[in-house]
Amino acid sequence: ATDDGASRCDGIQSDAPGVWYSVTTAFSTLLRASTCDAETDFDTQVSIFRGSCGSLTCVITDDNSCGFQSSVSWSATADITYYIFVHGRESTSSGDFALSIEEYIPAVSNDFCDNAIAVSNDGSRVTGSTVTASFDNVGQCVVENTGPG
């Protein structure tokens, strides 16, 4: 594969080689694209785009949500084609991978921003877990966001 210059998405850039896949759903749903697999043998990034080739818009990207491999979830709209770009982290990052695309059902109700749980500012506390959360790629806030939340 070659570097086609399309790998800038959500502030993450790579000049590594990559390959493209596409997916379209008949209904709106949450989808997950993942290279988190024992067959993946290099530092991957997964970037999701929509639009048309030559005029793509970044939806979301991930780098290292499962070790050096990547998994990303997004809200897919019915009858929209999404382009999945699997590429390396560095210009020398290339290798073999296994990519899975599946419907994603969040294990926790507040896994996405749209479902944020309101909390009180009266000093009471809440508990939660990020164990089954997806990587939301909310961007950088003082430090790089590289984990699920």
Side-chain angles (χ1 to χ4, degrees):
T2 60
D3 172 23
D4 62 5
S7 58
R8 180 174 265 307
C9 187
D10 274 350
I12 294 178
Q13 175 145 0
S14 169
D15 58 356
V19 292
W20 291 92
Y21 297 89
S22 66
V23 64
T24 306
T25 64
F27 49 90
S28 294
T29 188
L30 296 174
L31 290 179
R32 177 174 32 215
S34 175
T35 60
C36 301
D37 189 279
E39 291 183 41
T40 303
D41 63 8
F42 70 105
D43 188 357
T44 62
Q45 290 182 341
V46 176
S47 300
I48 308 301
F49 295 88
R50 65 185 281 177
S52 58
C53 294
S55 182
L56 294 171
T57 301
C58 170
V59 174
I60 191 166
T61 194
D62 176 56
D63 179 31
N64 298 340
S65 68
C66 48
F68 288 115
Q69 299 163 354
S70 301
S71 178
V72 64
S73 302
W74 75 99
S75 296
T77 303
D79 301 319
I80 298 291
T81 299
Y82 292 90
Y83 295 91
I84 302 135
F85 187 50
V86 179
H87 53 106
R89 171 72 170 120
E90 305 293 333
S91 62
T92 57
S93 299
S94 63
D96 297 321
F97 64 89
L99 174 67
S100 63
I101 309 293
E102 63 186 348
E103 187 172 7
Y104 173 70
I105 301 169
V108 290
S109 63
N110 60 333
D111 195 21
F112 291 96
C113 181
D114 293 346
N115 297 327
I117 295 173
V119 294
S120 176
N121 63 356
D122 64 0
S124 59
R125 70 182 196 128
V126 297
T127 60
S129 175
T130 61
V131 171
T132 57
S134 65
F135 180 79
D136 296 317
N137 195 12
V138 295
Q140 187 165 333
C141 182
V142 182
V143 296
E144 185 177 0
N145 173 22
T146 59

